[in-house]
Amino acid sequence: MSVLLETSAGDIVIDLLVDYAPKLCENFLKLCKIKYYNFSPVYNVQKNFSFQTGDPTGPDSKDSDGGSSIWGVINGPPGGLFTAKLHPKLKHAERGTVSMATAPSARDPDERVAGSQFIITLGDDLDYLDGKAAIFGKVVEGFDALEKINEAFCDDKGRPMVDIRIKHTVILDDPYDDPPGLVEPPESPLPTKAQLATVRIAEDENMDDEGDVEAVEKQRREREARAQALTLEMVGDLPFAEVKPPENVLFVCKLNPVTTDEDLELIFSRFGKILSCEVIRDKRTGDSLQYAFIEYEEQASCEQAYFKMQGVLIDDHRIHVDFSQSVSKLSDTWRTSTNSKRRQGGGGFGGVSGLEKKRQYKAADYSSGSRKGRYGMVYDEEELRKRHNKEGKYDSEREKSRSRSPASHSTQRDRRRYESRDDRGGRDNRRDRDLYDDPGRDRRRGRGDDGYKCR
């Protein structure tokens, strides 16, 4: 069996312990059913201990009767209180325990009576309440609402300065039959004059505003715009949050794709001197995106064009004009100026000459032609690639030179000389090559190493 309390601090769902406290649960359910708790204030808030509610007008009102049970509402004041039985197994051991506030009976000091007021604990192990408050339920949802109530700013009596009230009650499950004479209202009743008289600061009232709805909305929009601008500055889309679009730039859209920059400049130049006129095009295809920006020398010219050119037919298209809200050109100019100032600092980031350029790789001392040695200057990726290309070319040439012996140099030179002789026939050339390629043939023909015949 459950009940939903809709409060100004949030929704609270209470599960009822009907097996342990049937009379207490019945009283609470039926009071919720007739909307008895609607607009009841939260009072007596004790941080990390408990808060109390259930009196429709609150204990501070001169019209308060302390609240009544469902039987007192139906039958009159004599039945306003009923005997509350405290189950010995139920303890205030955990946060969110719900119990009826009780008082000693006038007839029997050992007997306790209850009406409509109930308590919800804001802490654990509150054995002080055991035997004084009659437990009948526990909170299963809405602990964030309990935390808001716990942190509320209160006066010396525990009453929150900003009202926290029960707005509405919804019965999720009711196993009890209605007592005779109970009338359920068709809709939630409006607050009574006595209840309205107890309002301190309404939950939706802003203490810093004077009730001007338009001013409040304007301030809200300004705060939201500043927050969005700061976010764009953080991600780099804006150079700084306070940047504003230029007032001398006109935005033109719904253009015909055939309309060119020169056409627009010629048409709009009658309103004043134009500094730039650009139809925005696709970077890949060069096709017009059908909108453009026109920058005038004077703001008055831009305003005049705005009022005169709305809906004008250009190349069979009715255009739409508006003041530009783009700051991309300003951003590009700002970035270019900033980067140029940094470069003028003689290297290093931020224009600080004392800082070295950021590098990613360390290179050895290349001055000696060897990669061995101490670490020298630190090179970036582009410089390192150039070094490697140059070094690779040098190493390949050096390797080739090492692989050549003096004999091989002369041999190749002689071979080129023999092969280039054109005054001999092909047969002589082949013969000479054969003689050259086979040094042992001279020995077989009786020649020595020096080329002379042996005797």
Side-chain angles (χ1 to χ4, degrees):
M1 315 314 148
S2 302
V3 172
L4 169 65
L5 301 182
E6 298 178 2
T7 75
S8 54
D11 294 345
I12 300 173
V13 178
I14 300 174
D15 272 0
L16 303 180
L17 307 175
V18 293
D19 294 334
Y20 294 92
K23 187 113 179 137
L24 295 170
C25 292
E26 181 184 5
N27 176 61
F28 183 74
L29 277 171
K30 299 309 176 182
L31 289 176
C32 290
K33 191 170 186 177
I34 65 172
K35 311 304 178 187
Y36 184 79
Y37 290 126
N38 282 25
F39 211 69
S40 296
V42 170
Y43 50 87
N44 196 18
V45 178
Q46 301 179 51
K47 189 176 178 64
N48 298 326
F49 188 79
S50 69
F51 73 86
Q52 191 168 337
T53 184
D55 185 342
T57 57
D60 297 335
S61 173
K62 58 182 179 59
D63 299 320
S64 174
D65 58 358
S68 174
S69 68
I70 185 63
W71 299 281
V73 174
I74 296 174
N75 302 320
L81 300 177
F82 69 99
T83 302
K85 293 183 179 180
L86 283 67
H87 199 285
K89 291 185 178 181
L90 299 179
K91 305 294 182 181
H92 295 83
E94 59 183 355
R95 183 183 183 212
T97 301
V98 185
S99 55
M100 279 286 177
T102 64
S105 173
R107 296 174 300 179
D108 184 0
D110 295 331
E111 184 181 86
R112 303 191 73 86
V113 294
S116 63
Q117 299 184 39
F118 60 95
I119 297 170
I120 299 180
T121 60
L122 299 174
D124 298 326
D125 299 324
L126 304 180
D127 53 0
Y128 171 80
L129 294 175
D130 295 340
K132 300 181 178 65
I135 298 174
F136 67 93
K138 60 181 179 179
V139 174
V140 293
E141 293 183 26
F143 287 94
D144 53 341
L146 297 187
E147 186 61 29
K148 289 181 181 179
I149 296 174
N150 190 43
E151 298 296 332
F153 183 71
C154 304
D155 60 12
D156 55 351
K157 296 182 179 180
R159 173 79 183 271
M161 300 301 295
V162 177
D163 279 0
I164 300 177
R165 293 180 180 264
I166 299 175
K167 294 181 176 180
H168 193 59
T169 56
V170 179
I171 298 175
L172 304 180
D173 190 10
D174 181 5
Y176 300 102
D177 295 332
D178 292 342
L182 185 144
V183 179
E184 182 179 2
E187 58 184 11
S188 293
L190 296 175
T192 64
K193 291 183 178 181
Q195 289 177 318
L196 293 174
T198 62
V199 173
R200 288 184 170 180
I201 301 173
E203 56 170 316
D204 56 350
E205 183 178 351
N206 192 335
M207 292 182 289
D208 297 331
D209 295 335
E210 297 181 356
D212 190 345
V213 178
E214 294 183 0
V216 172
E217 179 64 16
K218 182 179 179 180
Q219 290 181 1
R220 186 192 67 80
R221 290 179 179 273
E222 290 177 352
R223 287 194 297 266
E224 184 177 356
R226 284 196 297 268
Q228 292 175 350
L230 184 60
T231 302
L232 293 176
E233 178 185 355
M234 294 172 64
V235 301
D237 284 354
L238 290 179
F240 45 91
E242 292 78 14
V243 66
K244 294 181 180 180
E247 297 180 347
N248 61 328
V249 177
L250 193 69
F251 171 74
V252 184
C253 63
K254 298 184 179 181
L255 294 172
N256 193 314
V258 302
T259 304
T260 63
D261 302 352
E262 293 78 9
D263 297 336
L264 282 182
E265 186 172 3
L266 180 62
I267 295 171
F268 282 84
S269 60
R270 65 190 182 96
F271 300 105
K273 184 178 180 180
I274 293 178
L275 300 179
S276 65
C277 178
E278 180 182 6
V279 175
I280 308 303
R281 300 182 178 276
D282 187 275
K283 292 183 179 180
R284 183 174 59 86
T285 63
D287 297 336
S288 171
L289 298 180
Q290 298 179 261
Y291 67 92
F293 293 96
I294 302 174
E295 182 180 2
Y296 284 94
E297 185 178 32
E298 298 180 357
Q299 179 182 345
S301 302
C302 182
E303 294 176 353
Q304 188 177 4
Y306 168 77
F307 290 113
K308 295 292 185 179
M309 296 302 292
Q310 176 63 34
V312 172
L313 196 65
I314 297 179
D315 293 332
D316 297 330
H317 277 222
R318 292 200 178 275
I319 66 171
H320 172 73
V321 296
D322 200 351
F323 294 106
S324 173
Q325 297 300 313
S326 173
V327 294
S328 61
K329 193 171 183 179
L330 291 177
S331 299
D332 293 340
T333 304
W334 180 83
R335 292 189 186 97
T336 303
S337 175
T338 302
N339 292 335
S340 63
K341 290 179 181 178
R342 289 174 177 174
R343 286 193 293 270
Q344 291 173 3
F349 290 114
V352 181
S353 58
L355 296 176
E356 286 295 339
K357 182 180 179 182
K358 184 180 179 183
R359 312 290 184 165
Q360 295 181 354
Y361 302 95
K362 287 186 176 181
D365 186 3
Y366 286 90
S367 59
S368 60
S370 172
R371 298 189 67 173
K372 297 180 180 180
R374 65 178 181 82
Y375 284 117
M377 179 55 68
V378 197
Y379 294 87
D380 62 12
E381 235 178 304
E382 184 66 23
E383 294 170 338
L384 189 62
R385 184 168 59 253
K386 292 179 181 179
R387 284 276 187 174
H388 283 177
N389 293 339
K390 183 177 179 181
E391 181 189 4
K393 183 178 179 182
Y394 172 74
D395 287 345
S396 62
E397 291 179 355
R398 185 171 57 183
E399 191 66 29
K400 290 180 180 178
S401 65
R402 286 180 178 177
S403 63
R404 297 173 182 170
S405 63
S408 63
H409 277 288
S410 60
T411 301
Q412 292 182 6
R413 186 167 59 250
D414 294 341
R415 175 176 290 181
R416 287 194 298 270
R417 186 173 68 247
Y418 273 100
E419 289 176 352
S420 64
R421 291 179 180 176
D422 295 334
D423 54 342
R424 297 185 179 184
R427 185 168 54 84
D428 295 336
N429 287 340
R430 286 193 300 274
R431 183 182 54 134
D432 291 338
R433 284 198 300 272
D434 293 340
L435 289 174
Y436 180 81
D437 293 338
D438 189 6
R441 189 170 182 174
D442 292 337
R443 293 183 180 275
R444 292 195 296 273
R445 292 191 176 188
R447 295 178 183 270
D449 292 338
D450 55 358
Y452 293 99
K453 291 183 179 180
C454 298
R455 296 184 182 274

